[in-house]
Amino acid sequence: MPGSSPQQAASGWRLNLNILSIVVFNFVNYLSIGLPLAVLPGYVHNHMGYSAFWAGLVISLQYLATLLSRPWAGRYADRVGPKRIVVLGLFGCLLSGVFYLLSLLGDALPVAALILLCAGRVILGIGQSFVGTGATLWGVGAVGSLHIGRVISWNGVASYGALAVGAPLGVWLYYLGGLGLMAAAIIVVCAMAIMAAVRKPPVKTATGKQIPFSAVVGLIWRYGLVLAFASCGFGVIATFITLFYGDKGWDGAAFALTLFSVAFVGTRLFFPNSINRYGGLRVSMACFSVETAGLLLVWLSGSPWMAEVGAFLTGAGFSLVFPALGVVAMKEVPPQNQGSALATFTAFMDLSLGIVGPLAGVLMAHAGVSSIYLSAALLVLLALLMTLSLRRRVLRNHASGQAR
């Protein structure tokens, strides 16, 4: 593992401060994603005059680029070290702001402006995968592999916190100075982050011959598939809770989303050492139980408070799934391949969130909005059963190893 030597890293607040000094780059990464998130669809549709399809495509290109570039980010991190990958990714985020700015020059040529916006979104997606993977590996290298779960958890808090701050901040900046001011803010923040990252010391990368990428996938795909099923619960709450409330004739969908987010972040903050204490698979099974209960409560809800409690439980249950499974998945591969493992593992969640929308839309059209929450609960329950099987497999391998 890169930087597994500093196992004696300080504990408590010093440990967290050390981690935060690196995951702050992932905060900047997701801030550059959040700032245009609520602005660009309306800008493309209303200001530029393109259809809703093109408005959606401009947003979706970033997610597609992130998914496709994840494996490359992991492999490069293993080869050249996580610091270089973070700096390169932040430069991609900065370039996205430059392309947004350049698109303003093409107002007289709407096609050129749209191409520039699309290019910025693709570069941003690549930057997202590079910074996200690199910041996690850099953080683990700085504090030691004993704290993998804590580093991944703080990375998640930084990511979702930046999105929560970025979306309203982007709308405010757009109101004050249009797309130009928002783009300039992205450029300035990313430039400051690059300067800070360059000054920080790198961490050692693990030496040794790397196993082929196909072998990495073969070792971690089971954990990735479990993550993909568990991510469906997150997807249907985040994407469709507004439609669910509208179908019921209720107000307050935004409050349900807030409760979901508070539970997600709060669980990571209040249980920072649970993965080290109980093990990743045991924590995952507990999380799946809570997430399933939350989704079933949303499905059965006859009043807003039941849906709100369900959204809260779903957020709390899903919160530790990624770090808990990620800890176990990364231990399946040699230290010199853990960047590839982390990136591939994350890609399963990207893929799940990418296809859950269309599939849920088809299901809603045939069985009603509520049906997607029952379906998601069943998929999370399947993830629980798969994790139980994985735990038995790990215990069996451990017992056979001791017998030898």
Side-chain angles (χ1 to χ4, degrees):
M1 174 103 217
S4 57
S5 56
Q7 295 291 351
Q8 70 278 11
S11 59
W13 68 271
R14 287 186 179 178
L15 172 65
N16 288 329
L17 192 61
N18 201 357
I19 295 171
L20 287 172
S21 70
I22 294 170
V23 302
V24 67
F25 301 122
N26 207 27
F27 181 89
V28 173
N29 174 32
Y30 275 84
L31 188 65
S32 67
I33 295 167
L35 284 172
L37 195 60
V39 170
L40 285 183
Y43 180 82
V44 172
H45 184 54
N46 299 322
H47 177 79
M48 299 178 68
Y50 284 97
S51 68
F53 167 80
W54 289 104
L57 180 66
V58 166
I59 296 298
S60 299
L61 279 174
Q62 176 223 311
Y63 300 120
L64 180 62
T66 297
L67 174 64
L68 295 178
S69 60
R70 286 281 188 197
W72 295 100
R75 274 179 276 181
Y76 287 145
D78 288 331
R79 291 175 187 172
V80 304
K83 175 181 174 177
R84 291 186 183 180
I85 294 302
V86 168
V87 172
L88 187 60
L90 287 171
F91 188 68
C93 296
L94 184 150
L95 277 180
S96 72
V98 173
F99 274 88
Y100 298 155
L101 211 54
L102 290 175
S103 72
L104 293 174
L105 303 177
D107 263 358
L109 297 169
V111 174
L114 184 65
I115 291 172
L116 287 168
L117 282 179
C118 289
R121 298 298 294 171
V122 170
I123 293 171
L124 177 61
I126 297 170
Q128 178 190 356
S129 63
F130 274 54
V131 178
T133 301
T136 300
L137 294 174
W138 194 358
V140 174
V143 301
S145 58
L146 180 65
H147 303 292
I148 294 175
R150 191 177 293 225
V151 174
I152 295 175
S153 292
W154 275 116
N155 251 316
V157 172
S159 304
Y160 290 101
L163 287 176
V165 171
L169 181 59
V171 172
W172 181 66
L173 289 172
Y174 183 76
Y175 173 76
L176 290 180
L179 188 66
L181 180 60
M182 187 202 71
I186 292 173
I187 294 169
V188 170
V189 172
C190 290
M192 292 172 63
I194 290 170
M195 289 187 289
V198 167
R199 291 179 184 146
K200 287 190 69 67
V203 293
K204 292 181 179 179
T205 54
T207 56
K209 185 177 180 181
Q210 296 184 353
I211 63 175
F213 180 70
S214 58
V216 173
V217 176
L219 289 169
I220 63 101
W221 70 269
R222 295 176 182 85
Y223 302 98
L225 190 59
V226 171
L227 175 66
F229 287 143
S231 300
C232 292
F234 167 75
V236 294
I237 291 288
T239 308
F240 296 110
I241 195 67
T242 304
L243 292 179
F244 177 76
Y245 266 63
D247 183 66
K248 295 282 188 178
W250 300 337
D251 295 322
F255 182 61
L257 284 172
T258 299
L259 288 174
F260 176 89
S261 302
V262 167
F264 182 95
V265 174
T267 302
R268 290 197 173 187
L269 293 177
F270 283 107
F271 300 98
N273 207 36
S274 59
I275 297 169
N276 282 347
R277 184 175 300 173
Y278 302 109
L281 294 180
R282 290 179 68 186
V283 170
S284 296
M285 289 189 292
C287 288
F288 295 146
S289 301
V290 175
E291 186 180 358
T292 301
L295 289 165
L296 289 174
L297 197 56
V298 175
W299 171 56
L300 294 169
S301 59
S303 58
W305 72 265
M306 289 180 64
E308 289 160 3
V309 173
F312 183 89
L313 290 176
T314 304
F318 183 68
S319 178
L320 292 174
V321 168
F322 185 91
L325 287 173
V327 166
V328 187
M330 289 176 71
K331 289 179 180 177
E332 290 285 323
V333 300
Q336 59 270 22
N337 281 94
Q338 289 188 335
S340 296
L342 176 63
T344 306
F345 177 68
T346 308
F348 277 91
M349 185 170 73
D350 294 333
L351 185 61
S352 174
L353 295 177
I355 65 176
V356 73
L359 291 180
V362 172
L363 183 61
M364 283 190 296
H366 290 86
V369 181
S370 297
S371 64
I372 63 174
Y373 296 100
L374 173 61
S375 300
L378 293 176
L379 289 173
V380 177
L381 185 60
L382 178 59
L384 172 60
L385 296 176
M386 291 176 65
T387 307
L388 182 61
S389 175
L390 283 172
R391 187 163 185 267
R392 287 174 179 168
R393 176 172 168 266
V394 169
L395 292 174
R396 211 167 37 242
N397 292 343
H398 181 67
S400 64
Q402 286 184 328
R404 295 195 196 98

